PDB file of all heavy atoms in Angstrom:
ATOM      1  N   LEU A  18       5.140 -11.639  -5.951  1.00 94.00           N
ATOM      2  CA  LEU A  18       4.950 -11.252  -7.349  1.00 94.00           C
ATOM      3  C   LEU A  18       3.504 -11.418  -7.794  1.00 94.00           C
ATOM      4  O   LEU A  18       2.960 -10.557  -8.488  1.00 94.00           O
ATOM      5  CB  LEU A  18       5.879 -12.053  -8.265  1.00 94.00           C
ATOM      6  CG  LEU A  18       5.813 -11.720  -9.752  1.00 94.00           C
ATOM      7  CD1 LEU A  18       6.113 -10.242  -9.997  1.00 94.00           C
ATOM      8  CD2 LEU A  18       6.775 -12.603 -10.533  1.00 94.00           C
ATOM      9  N   GLU A  19       2.871 -12.504  -7.388  1.00 95.00           N
ATOM     10  CA  GLU A  19       1.482 -12.742  -7.784  1.00 95.00           C
ATOM     11  C   GLU A  19       0.544 -11.653  -7.266  1.00 95.00           C
ATOM     12  O   GLU A  19      -0.270 -11.115  -8.018  1.00 95.00           O
ATOM     13  CB  GLU A  19       1.018 -14.101  -7.266  1.00 95.00           C
ATOM     14  CG  GLU A  19      -0.382 -14.448  -7.686  1.00 95.00           C
ATOM     15  CD  GLU A  19      -0.818 -15.805  -7.131  1.00 95.00           C
ATOM     16  OE1 GLU A  19       0.044 -16.627  -6.819  1.00 95.00           O
ATOM     17  OE2 GLU A  19      -2.046 -15.994  -7.027  1.00 95.00           O
ATOM     18  N   SER A  20       0.686 -11.281  -5.992  1.00 94.00           N
ATOM     19  CA  SER A  20      -0.184 -10.232  -5.440  1.00 94.00           C
ATOM     20  C   SER A  20       0.174  -8.862  -6.020  1.00 94.00           C
ATOM     21  O   SER A  20      -0.698  -8.022  -6.211  1.00 94.00           O
ATOM     22  CB  SER A  20      -0.128 -10.220  -3.920  1.00 94.00           C
ATOM     23  OG  SER A  20       1.187 -10.013  -3.451  1.00 94.00           O
ATOM     24  N   PHE A  21       1.468  -8.641  -6.334  1.00 94.00           N
ATOM     25  CA  PHE A  21       1.863  -7.382  -6.968  1.00 94.00           C
ATOM     26  C   PHE A  21       1.199  -7.246  -8.335  1.00 94.00           C
ATOM     27  O   PHE A  21       0.702  -6.190  -8.694  1.00 94.00           O
ATOM     28  CB  PHE A  21       3.386  -7.296  -7.103  1.00 94.00           C
ATOM     29  CG  PHE A  21       3.840  -6.072  -7.845  1.00 94.00           C
ATOM     30  CD1 PHE A  21       3.901  -4.846  -7.206  1.00 94.00           C
ATOM     31  CD2 PHE A  21       4.180  -6.136  -9.185  1.00 94.00           C
ATOM     32  CE1 PHE A  21       4.305  -3.700  -7.894  1.00 94.00           C
ATOM     33  CE2 PHE A  21       4.587  -5.012  -9.885  1.00 94.00           C
ATOM     34  CZ  PHE A  21       4.641  -3.793  -9.230  1.00 94.00           C
ATOM     35  N   ARG A  22       1.181  -8.336  -9.103  1.00 96.00           N
ATOM     36  CA  ARG A  22       0.538  -8.295 -10.426  1.00 96.00           C
ATOM     37  C   ARG A  22      -0.955  -8.032 -10.312  1.00 96.00           C
ATOM     38  O   ARG A  22      -1.525  -7.310 -11.130  1.00 96.00           O
ATOM     39  CB  ARG A  22       0.789  -9.604 -11.160  1.00 96.00           C
ATOM     40  CG  ARG A  22       2.200  -9.729 -11.672  1.00 96.00           C
ATOM     41  CD  ARG A  22       2.401 -11.045 -12.381  1.00 96.00           C
ATOM     42  NE  ARG A  22       3.723 -11.091 -12.987  1.00 96.00           N
ATOM     43  CZ  ARG A  22       4.245 -12.190 -13.486  1.00 96.00           C
ATOM     44  NH1 ARG A  22       3.572 -13.318 -13.468  1.00 96.00           N
ATOM     45  NH2 ARG A  22       5.447 -12.157 -14.012  1.00 96.00           N
ATOM     46  N   ARG A  23      -1.599  -8.633  -9.305  1.00 96.00           N
ATOM     47  CA  ARG A  23      -3.034  -8.365  -9.092  1.00 96.00           C
ATOM     48  C   ARG A  23      -3.251  -6.886  -8.813  1.00 96.00           C
ATOM     49  O   ARG A  23      -4.169  -6.262  -9.338  1.00 96.00           O
ATOM     50  CB  ARG A  23      -3.553  -9.195  -7.902  1.00 96.00           C
ATOM     51  CG  ARG A  23      -4.236 -10.446  -8.277  1.00 96.00           C
ATOM     52  CD  ARG A  23      -5.040 -11.051  -7.147  1.00 96.00           C
ATOM     53  NE  ARG A  23      -4.575 -10.783  -5.803  1.00 96.00           N
ATOM     54  CZ  ARG A  23      -3.845 -11.631  -5.073  1.00 96.00           C
ATOM     55  NH1 ARG A  23      -3.489 -12.792  -5.552  1.00 96.00           N
ATOM     56  NH2 ARG A  23      -3.481 -11.301  -3.852  1.00 96.00           N
ATOM     57  N   TRP A  24      -2.392  -6.299  -7.961  1.00 94.00           N
ATOM     58  CA  TRP A  24      -2.504  -4.880  -7.624  1.00 94.00           C
ATOM     59  C   TRP A  24      -2.233  -4.017  -8.861  1.00 94.00           C
ATOM     60  O   TRP A  24      -2.932  -3.041  -9.118  1.00 94.00           O
ATOM     61  CB  TRP A  24      -1.528  -4.543  -6.498  1.00 94.00           C
ATOM     62  CG  TRP A  24      -1.500  -3.109  -6.090  1.00 94.00           C
ATOM     63  CD1 TRP A  24      -2.552  -2.355  -5.677  1.00 94.00           C
ATOM     64  CD2 TRP A  24      -0.363  -2.251  -6.043  1.00 94.00           C
ATOM     65  NE1 TRP A  24      -2.129  -1.078  -5.374  1.00 94.00           N
ATOM     66  CE2 TRP A  24      -0.792  -0.993  -5.586  1.00 94.00           C
ATOM     67  CE3 TRP A  24       0.986  -2.430  -6.323  1.00 94.00           C
ATOM     68  CZ2 TRP A  24       0.072   0.077  -5.413  1.00 94.00           C
ATOM     69  CZ3 TRP A  24       1.846  -1.361  -6.145  1.00 94.00           C
ATOM     70  CH2 TRP A  24       1.378  -0.121  -5.703  1.00 94.00           C
ATOM     71  N   ALA A  25      -1.213  -4.394  -9.651  1.00 94.00           N
ATOM     72  CA  ALA A  25      -0.838  -3.613 -10.830  1.00 94.00           C
ATOM     73  C   ALA A  25      -1.945  -3.591 -11.876  1.00 94.00           C
ATOM     74  O   ALA A  25      -2.075  -2.625 -12.625  1.00 94.00           O
ATOM     75  CB  ALA A  25       0.450  -4.166 -11.430  1.00 94.00           C
ATOM     76  N   LYS A  26      -2.745  -4.644 -11.943  1.00 95.00           N
ATOM     77  CA  LYS A  26      -3.837  -4.709 -12.917  1.00 95.00           C
ATOM     78  C   LYS A  26      -5.144  -4.136 -12.377  1.00 95.00           C
ATOM     79  O   LYS A  26      -6.106  -3.998 -13.126  1.00 95.00           O
ATOM     80  CB  LYS A  26      -4.066  -6.155 -13.351  1.00 95.00           C
ATOM     81  CG  LYS A  26      -2.915  -6.725 -14.142  1.00 95.00           C
ATOM     82  CD  LYS A  26      -3.164  -8.168 -14.490  1.00 95.00           C
ATOM     83  CE  LYS A  26      -1.977  -8.751 -15.241  1.00 95.00           C
ATOM     84  NZ  LYS A  26      -2.192 -10.178 -15.542  1.00 95.00           N
ATOM     85  N   SER A  27      -5.175  -3.800 -11.105  1.00 94.00           N
ATOM     86  CA  SER A  27      -6.411  -3.300 -10.493  1.00 94.00           C
ATOM     87  C   SER A  27      -6.535  -1.787 -10.660  1.00 94.00           C
ATOM     88  O   SER A  27      -5.597  -1.103 -11.079  1.00 94.00           O
ATOM     89  CB  SER A  27      -6.434  -3.644  -9.002  1.00 94.00           C
ATOM     90  OG  SER A  27      -5.531  -2.824  -8.283  1.00 94.00           O
ATOM     91  N   ASP A  28      -7.691  -1.276 -10.275  1.00 92.00           N
ATOM     92  CA  ASP A  28      -7.929   0.172 -10.308  1.00 92.00           C
ATOM     93  C   ASP A  28      -7.263   0.880  -9.131  1.00 92.00           C
ATOM     94  O   ASP A  28      -7.231   2.103  -9.089  1.00 92.00           O
ATOM     95  CB  ASP A  28      -9.433   0.463 -10.283  1.00 92.00           C
ATOM     96  CG  ASP A  28     -10.117   0.019 -11.569  1.00 92.00           C
ATOM     97  OD1 ASP A  28      -9.426  -0.071 -12.603  1.00 92.00           O
ATOM     98  OD2 ASP A  28     -11.331  -0.244 -11.531  1.00 92.00           O
ATOM     99  N   GLU A  29      -6.733   0.139  -8.173  1.00 90.00           N
ATOM    100  CA  GLU A  29      -6.077   0.730  -6.999  1.00 90.00           C
ATOM    101  C   GLU A  29      -4.703   1.301  -7.310  1.00 90.00           C
ATOM    102  O   GLU A  29      -4.203   2.150  -6.583  1.00 90.00           O
ATOM    103  CB  GLU A  29      -5.937  -0.312  -5.884  1.00 90.00           C
ATOM    104  CG  GLU A  29      -7.229  -0.761  -5.280  1.00 90.00           C
ATOM    105  CD  GLU A  29      -6.991  -1.750  -4.153  1.00 90.00           C
ATOM    106  OE1 GLU A  29      -6.093  -1.515  -3.334  1.00 90.00           O
ATOM    107  OE2 GLU A  29      -7.701  -2.755  -4.115  1.00 90.00           O
ATOM    108  N   LEU A  30      -4.060   0.815  -8.374  1.00 91.00           N
ATOM    109  CA  LEU A  30      -2.727   1.299  -8.716  1.00 91.00           C
ATOM    110  C   LEU A  30      -2.819   2.760  -9.167  1.00 91.00           C
ATOM    111  O   LEU A  30      -3.629   3.089 -10.036  1.00 91.00           O
ATOM    112  CB  LEU A  30      -2.122   0.458  -9.842  1.00 91.00           C
ATOM    113  CG  LEU A  30      -0.663   0.755 -10.162  1.00 91.00           C
ATOM    114  CD1 LEU A  30       0.246   0.182  -9.081  1.00 91.00           C
ATOM    115  CD2 LEU A  30      -0.293   0.180 -11.516  1.00 91.00           C
ATOM    116  N   PRO A  31      -2.012   3.640  -8.584  1.00 89.00           N
ATOM    117  CA  PRO A  31      -2.058   5.050  -8.997  1.00 89.00           C
ATOM    118  C   PRO A  31      -1.695   5.219 -10.468  1.00 89.00           C
ATOM    119  O   PRO A  31      -0.931   4.431 -11.027  1.00 89.00           O
ATOM    120  CB  PRO A  31      -0.997   5.709  -8.107  1.00 89.00           C
ATOM    121  CG  PRO A  31      -0.842   4.791  -6.951  1.00 89.00           C
ATOM    122  CD  PRO A  31      -1.090   3.418  -7.479  1.00 89.00           C
ATOM    123  N   GLU A  32      -2.257   6.245 -11.085  1.00 87.00           N
ATOM    124  CA  GLU A  32      -2.001   6.506 -12.496  1.00 87.00           C
ATOM    125  C   GLU A  32      -0.606   7.069 -12.731  1.00 87.00           C
ATOM    126  O   GLU A  32      -0.047   6.916 -13.803  1.00 87.00           O
ATOM    127  CB  GLU A  32      -3.043   7.474 -13.048  1.00 87.00           C
ATOM    128  CG  GLU A  32      -4.423   6.872 -13.136  1.00 87.00           C
ATOM    129  CD  GLU A  32      -5.430   7.826 -13.738  1.00 87.00           C
ATOM    130  OE1 GLU A  32      -5.025   8.809 -14.388  1.00 87.00           O
ATOM    131  OE2 GLU A  32      -6.630   7.579 -13.575  1.00 87.00           O
ATOM    132  N   ARG A  33      -0.053   7.751 -11.750  1.00 86.00           N
ATOM    133  CA  ARG A  33       1.268   8.350 -11.900  1.00 86.00           C
ATOM    134  C   ARG A  33       2.282   7.594 -11.057  1.00 86.00           C
ATOM    135  O   ARG A  33       1.998   7.151  -9.966  1.00 86.00           O
ATOM    136  CB  ARG A  33       1.260   9.811 -11.457  1.00 86.00           C
ATOM    137  CG  ARG A  33       0.475  10.664 -12.399  1.00 86.00           C
ATOM    138  CD  ARG A  33       0.526  12.110 -11.980  1.00 86.00           C
ATOM    139  NE  ARG A  33      -0.146  12.898 -12.987  1.00 86.00           N
ATOM    140  CZ  ARG A  33       0.397  13.930 -13.579  1.00 86.00           C
ATOM    141  NH1 ARG A  33       1.601  14.307 -13.262  1.00 86.00           N
ATOM    142  NH2 ARG A  33      -0.270  14.593 -14.483  1.00 86.00           N
ATOM    143  N   GLY A  34       3.471   7.461 -11.612  1.00 88.00           N
ATOM    144  CA  GLY A  34       4.546   6.772 -10.915  1.00 88.00           C
ATOM    145  C   GLY A  34       4.916   5.488 -11.636  1.00 88.00           C
ATOM    146  O   GLY A  34       4.186   5.007 -12.488  1.00 88.00           O
ATOM    147  N   ARG A  35       6.087   4.974 -11.280  1.00 89.00           N
ATOM    148  CA  ARG A  35       6.543   3.698 -11.830  1.00 89.00           C
ATOM    149  C   ARG A  35       6.624   2.711 -10.678  1.00 89.00           C
ATOM    150  O   ARG A  35       7.195   3.011  -9.630  1.00 89.00           O
ATOM    151  CB  ARG A  35       7.909   3.864 -12.481  1.00 89.00           C
ATOM    152  CG  ARG A  35       7.817   4.595 -13.779  1.00 89.00           C
ATOM    153  CD  ARG A  35       9.173   4.635 -14.473  1.00 89.00           C
ATOM    154  NE  ARG A  35       9.305   6.010 -14.957  1.00 89.00           N
ATOM    155  CZ  ARG A  35      10.391   6.736 -14.876  1.00 89.00           C
ATOM    156  NH1 ARG A  35      11.476   6.246 -14.376  1.00 89.00           N
ATOM    157  NH2 ARG A  35      10.404   7.963 -15.322  1.00 89.00           N
ATOM    158  N   PHE A  36       6.080   1.534 -10.888  1.00 91.00           N
ATOM    159  CA  PHE A  36       5.993   0.531  -9.842  1.00 91.00           C
ATOM    160  C   PHE A  36       6.582  -0.777 -10.365  1.00 91.00           C
ATOM    161  O   PHE A  36       6.224  -1.218 -11.459  1.00 91.00           O
ATOM    162  CB  PHE A  36       4.540   0.330  -9.411  1.00 91.00           C
ATOM    163  CG  PHE A  36       3.879   1.615  -9.026  1.00 91.00           C
ATOM    164  CD1 PHE A  36       3.187   2.363  -9.964  1.00 91.00           C
ATOM    165  CD2 PHE A  36       3.985   2.091  -7.744  1.00 91.00           C
ATOM    166  CE1 PHE A  36       2.594   3.562  -9.617  1.00 91.00           C
ATOM    167  CE2 PHE A  36       3.396   3.291  -7.387  1.00 91.00           C
ATOM    168  CZ  PHE A  36       2.700   4.028  -8.326  1.00 91.00           C
ATOM    169  N   SER A  37       7.474  -1.366  -9.588  1.00 92.00           N
ATOM    170  CA  SER A  37       8.142  -2.598 -10.006  1.00 92.00           C
ATOM    171  C   SER A  37       8.263  -3.543  -8.825  1.00 92.00           C
ATOM    172  O   SER A  37       8.290  -3.121  -7.666  1.00 92.00           O
ATOM    173  CB  SER A  37       9.547  -2.295 -10.528  1.00 92.00           C
ATOM    174  OG  SER A  37       9.510  -1.351 -11.554  1.00 92.00           O
ATOM    175  N   PHE A  38       8.370  -4.824  -9.142  1.00 93.00           N
ATOM    176  CA  PHE A  38       8.626  -5.841  -8.129  1.00 93.00           C
ATOM    177  C   PHE A  38       9.912  -6.537  -8.546  1.00 93.00           C
ATOM    178  O   PHE A  38       9.987  -7.172  -9.591  1.00 93.00           O
ATOM    179  CB  PHE A  38       7.471  -6.849  -8.063  1.00 93.00           C
ATOM    180  CG  PHE A  38       7.582  -7.803  -6.910  1.00 93.00           C
ATOM    181  CD1 PHE A  38       7.067  -7.465  -5.674  1.00 93.00           C
ATOM    182  CD2 PHE A  38       8.205  -9.024  -7.068  1.00 93.00           C
ATOM    183  CE1 PHE A  38       7.172  -8.343  -4.610  1.00 93.00           C
ATOM    184  CE2 PHE A  38       8.318  -9.906  -6.017  1.00 93.00           C
ATOM    185  CZ  PHE A  38       7.796  -9.563  -4.774  1.00 93.00           C
ATOM    186  N   LEU A  39      10.969  -6.387  -7.747  1.00 90.00           N
ATOM    187  CA  LEU A  39      12.278  -6.913  -8.101  1.00 90.00           C
ATOM    188  C   LEU A  39      12.902  -7.606  -6.904  1.00 90.00           C
ATOM    189  O   LEU A  39      13.122  -6.978  -5.858  1.00 90.00           O
ATOM    190  CB  LEU A  39      13.181  -5.769  -8.587  1.00 90.00           C
ATOM    191  CG  LEU A  39      14.599  -6.132  -8.993  1.00 90.00           C
ATOM    192  CD1 LEU A  39      14.585  -7.077 -10.187  1.00 90.00           C
ATOM    193  CD2 LEU A  39      15.387  -4.889  -9.316  1.00 90.00           C
ATOM    194  N   ASP A  40      13.145  -8.896  -7.043  1.00 88.00           N
ATOM    195  CA  ASP A  40      13.815  -9.690  -6.007  1.00 88.00           C
ATOM    196  C   ASP A  40      13.136  -9.544  -4.642  1.00 88.00           C
ATOM    197  O   ASP A  40      13.782  -9.312  -3.625  1.00 88.00           O
ATOM    198  CB  ASP A  40      15.290  -9.302  -5.920  1.00 88.00           C
ATOM    199  CG  ASP A  40      16.103 -10.289  -5.106  1.00 88.00           C
ATOM    200  OD1 ASP A  40      15.711 -11.471  -5.036  1.00 88.00           O
ATOM    201  OD2 ASP A  40      17.125  -9.874  -4.518  1.00 88.00           O
ATOM    202  N   GLY A  41      11.814  -9.623  -4.626  1.00 88.00           N
ATOM    203  CA  GLY A  41      11.080  -9.578  -3.372  1.00 88.00           C
ATOM    204  C   GLY A  41      10.825  -8.188  -2.824  1.00 88.00           C
ATOM    205  O   GLY A  41      10.294  -8.037  -1.732  1.00 88.00           O
TER     206      GLY A  41
END
C-alpha cells in the first residue's frame, strides 16, 4: 500500500484509468 500510494501521487501514474490497491 505504501509504494502504491507513492506511485499514485507521482507523475508516473497514467492520466486515464482507475487504479486501486485492495487486499494486496
Side-chain angles (χ1 to χ4, degrees):
L18 182 57
E19 183 181 337
S20 58
F21 175 79
R22 286 180 174 169
R23 262 195 331 261
W24 178 56
K26 293 177 182 178
S27 74
D28 292 336
E29 293 182 44
L30 188 74
E32 291 182 18
R33 291 182 175 233
R35 286 185 224 137
F36 306 91
S37 305
F38 188 87
L39 180 63
D40 193 27

